[in-house]
Amino acid sequence: METTKYLLSEKEMPTSWYNILPDLPVPLPPPLHPGTGQPLGPADLAPLFPMALIMQEVSSEPFIEIPEEVQSIYHLWRPSPLYRARRLEKALDTPAKIYYKYEGVSPAGSHKPNTAVAQAYYNKKEGVKRLATETGAGQWGSALAMACMFFGLECKVYMVKVSYNQKPYRRILMETWGAKVVPSPSTDTNAGKTILNQDPDSPGSLGIAISEAVEDAAGREDTKYSLGSVLNHVLLHQTVIGLETKKQMEMAGDYPDIVVGCIGGGSNFAGLFLPYAGDKIKQGKKIRIIAVEPEACPTVTKGPYCYDFGDTVGLTPLLKMHTLGHTFVPPSIHAGGLRYHGMAPIVSHLGNLGIIEAVAVHQNAAFKAGIQFARNEGIIAAPEPTHAIKVVIDEAVRCKNEGVSRTILFNLSGHGHFDLTSYDDYLTGKLEDYEYPEALVKKALADLPKVA
Ligand SMILES: *Cc1c(COP(=O)(O)O)cnc(C)c1O
C-alpha cells in the first residue's frame, strides 16, 4: 500500500490563525445587547472575556499571530497528521480519493484544546485567576481543564447532569488535570437553583450549564467565562487545523472537491473549512463544503436563522444564528457534542450566503459508517465525526456510481475511546433513531427574543 500519512515538522506549523471576517462578501450581523437590542460594544463583553479575545471577536486582520507560548503547547501534539484513507477507498471500490485530518492526537482526544490553550493563555496574560465553563459530555471541559493546568489557572466546570452521572470518564480526566466539576443544574448559582425549583429532576442541558457558568464569571472579579465553540474567536483558533491541512494536501499533490465535517457549535468543521471557504470567496474555487448534523438536533436544517440567546436563562448577548430556540432540551442521542441549540454565527452566515451547505443524518447510519471506518482505517472515531464519515462514504459511493473521481476531505475531530458505551449500544442493537419533531421546533421558537 502506498503512503497514507502526511506529516509536517514543528517548523512547518502555521504561526498565525486565519480570520475570515475581512474576507466575507457580506459583513457578519453583529451580536446585540439582550436589554437594548443595540449592537454590542467591547465594554459589554469585558465582564466575561479578556480584551484580547474580545478584539479577536471583531478583528479585521486576516491573519492573527499565534503567541509563542501557545505554539509551544500546540507542539505537544501538533502538527496533527493528515491521512489518505486508502483502505476505506478500496473497500468502497470507489474512484474517489478520501483524506482525513486527525485531531484525536491531542491529550484530551479532540480538536478542542486548540482554542482552550489559546483562551487560557490570553486570560492568564490579563491577570485572570479562574475560568468558569460548561461542558456536555466533557470534551470541552477536559480540554479547558488541561489548558488551565498549563497556565496555573483554577477551572470550574458545570457539567450537564445526565452526562455527569452516566459518563464518569471525562469528569475524571478533568479532575486529574485539577479542575472542579459540579453537575448542572447545581445549587452554586441562581440560574441552577431556579431550574431545580421548577424541576428537581432536570437532566440539565448545555444551555442551562452555560447560564450557570456565565453567572459564575459575571459575579466574580477574579473569574472569566470560557466557551468551547460558536464564537468567532473560537473558530479563529481552530483554523490551525485547516491551515496545516492545506500544506499537507499540497504535499499529497491534491486539492479537495468536497470538504465535510460534523457540526455541534461549528468549531471543528470551521477550523478545517474556513481557509478553503476563503479560497472559494477570493479565488472562486469550486468546492462543496458540507456540514453534517444529527437528525435529533437539526439546528441548521430545521432551525430558522435569527437572533437568539446562547443560553437557556437569557443571560448572554443575542447572536444571529440558526437556532432551535434557547429553551431547547435535546433528546439523549450519543453524539453529546452535537446537541447545542444554536450554530456559530459565521457558519450560519456562510450557509445563508450559499457558501456552505448542511445535511442531517440519523445516529444509526452514523455509527454504521463509524464502524466501517474503524474496520478499514483502524481509528475508532468519536460519535460526533461518525456523522461526517456517513456523508463521506455516501459521496464516495456516488463517485463510483457516476464513474467520476473526486477528492474528499473531512475532519476526524476526535477519537471515541471514552464513548465506547455508545458503540456497544449500536453493536447490540439498542440505538434508536429520533427525528426532532417539527412541532417542537415551532414550540421552542415561540420563546425567541423579539428584535427589530
Ligand atoms: C465538541 C465536539 C464536536 C462538536 O463541536 P464543534 O464546535 O461543532 O466542533 C465535534 N467533535 C468532537 C470530537 C467534539 O469533541
Side-chain angles (χ1 to χ4, degrees):
M1 196 132 309
E2 295 163 65
T3 314
T4 57
K5 188 175 179 187
Y6 300 90
L7 289 176
L8 299 172
S9 68
E10 281 184 13
K11 283 205 183 71
E12 292 168 297
M13 192 182 81
T15 54
S16 301
W17 295 297
Y18 169 61
N19 175 24
I20 194 148
L21 293 179
D23 290 335
L24 290 172
V26 180
L28 191 70
L32 302 181
H33 192 283
T36 65
Q38 292 302 305
L40 282 186
D44 294 314
L45 292 170
L48 294 184
F49 301 106
M51 207 35 84
L53 293 178
I54 295 172
M55 296 326 281
Q56 288 180 1
E57 197 60 21
V58 295
S59 173
S60 52
E61 294 295 320
F63 287 94
I64 294 174
E65 209 173 301
I66 307 175
E68 261 170 43
E69 281 175 74
V70 173
Q71 288 189 41
S72 86
I73 295 174
Y74 276 2
H75 285 161
L76 285 171
W77 71 94
R78 306 208 72 86
S80 68
L82 176 80
Y83 292 94
R84 169 104 181 251
R86 289 197 189 265
R87 292 180 179 84
L88 180 64
E89 290 171 13
K90 195 152 176 260
L92 296 171
D93 188 26
T94 173
K97 297 186 207 171
I98 303 174
Y99 291 89
Y100 59 97
K101 177 72 164 167
Y102 186 41
E103 289 294 308
V105 290
S106 79
S110 77
H111 65 288
K112 290 198 171 78
N114 296 331
T115 185
V117 170
Q119 292 190 40
Y121 166 82
Y122 290 114
N123 275 287
K124 175 74 177 187
K125 216 173 141 215
E126 294 185 27
V128 175
K129 299 279 182 274
R130 181 175 171 275
L131 289 180
T133 198
E134 72 290 331
T135 197
Q139 288 106 323
W140 168 243
S142 52
L144 192 69
M146 180 186 79
C148 284
M149 174 277 292
F150 281 123
F151 292 101
L153 296 171
E154 274 181 61
C155 182
K156 169 84 177 265
V157 183
Y158 295 86
M159 183 172 188
V160 175
K161 193 191 276 170
V162 59
S163 299
Y164 183 96
N165 291 332
Q166 285 173 8
K167 299 185 175 172
Y169 289 112
R170 286 205 186 84
R171 169 180 62 74
I172 301 168
L173 274 187
M174 292 184 254
E175 290 170 348
T176 300
W177 277 313
K180 183 164 189 327
V181 189
V182 292
S184 164
S186 77
T187 51
D188 294 5
T189 65
N190 291 326
K193 282 186 236 171
T194 306
I195 302 272
L196 285 173
N197 273 339
Q198 291 161 2
D199 177 10
D201 297 323
S202 167
S205 72
L206 262 188
I208 293 170
I210 295 176
S211 297
E212 291 208 86
V214 166
E215 182 186 326
D216 179 321
R220 281 180 62 154
E221 199 55 44
D222 64 347
T223 301
K224 299 270 188 228
Y225 169 67
S226 181
L227 187 63
S229 188
V230 178
L231 297 179
N232 302 349
H233 67 265
V234 178
L235 275 51
L236 170 80
H237 301 151
Q238 294 295 354
T239 59
V240 68
I241 300 172
L243 294 168
E244 282 179 8
T245 303
K246 275 187 135 180
K247 292 191 178 187
Q248 289 162 307
M249 289 296 285
E250 266 170 42
M251 287 168 75
D254 261 325
Y255 191 90
D257 299 301
I258 305 177
V259 184
V260 184
C262 64
I263 48 167
S267 73
N268 85 84
F269 188 36
L272 178 68
F273 84 66
L274 284 176
Y276 288 105
D279 287 0
K280 195 167 173 174
I281 294 166
K282 287 181 293 183
Q283 301 166 22
K285 292 273 190 195
K286 290 203 167 26
I287 325 170
R288 283 182 69 200
I289 301 173
I290 310 175
V292 190
E293 62 184 9
E295 284 280 9
C297 184
T299 313
V300 178
T301 51
K302 283 202 182 137
Y305 178 48
C306 56
Y307 276 99
D308 196 6
F309 293 106
D311 71 318
T312 302
V313 174
L315 303 175
T316 70
L318 299 174
L319 299 175
K320 187 156 186 195
M321 59 185 179
H322 280 284
T323 178
L324 294 169
H326 60 281
T327 51
F328 172 77
V329 178
S332 63
I333 54 159
H334 280 293
L338 304 183
R339 288 186 303 189
Y340 184 58
H341 70 271
M343 184 50 56
I346 288 178
V347 172
S348 301
H349 185 60
L350 289 171
N352 199 50
L353 294 174
I355 293 167
I356 70 170
E357 54 194 285
V359 294
V361 303
H362 278 297
Q363 63 174 352
N364 272 300
F367 274 101
K368 184 173 178 225
I371 283 174
Q372 191 173 10
F373 186 79
R375 290 183 183 171
N376 284 286
E377 294 297 311
I379 296 172
I380 297 178
E384 292 85 0
T386 62
H387 291 70
I389 295 171
K390 156 72 179 145
V391 170
V392 168
I393 291 176
D394 286 351
E395 287 296 329
V397 169
R398 214 158 65 83
C399 287
K400 181 183 174 182
N401 295 341
E402 293 175 4
V404 287
S405 171
R406 296 189 184 97
T407 299
I408 305 172
L409 166 68
F410 77 96
N411 199 15
L412 185 44
S413 51
H415 67 64
H417 298 181
F418 297 111
D419 307 286
L420 290 176
T421 312
S422 52
Y423 274 87
D424 193 37
D425 285 352
Y426 174 79
L427 290 168
T428 54
K430 279 187 248 161
L431 218 54
E432 277 174 28
D433 281 339
Y434 176 85
E435 192 174 323
Y436 197 65
E438 207 66 64
L440 279 183
V441 180
K442 288 218 178 77
K443 189 157 166 255
L445 298 182
D447 297 329
L448 283 179
K450 305 276 174 284
V451 288

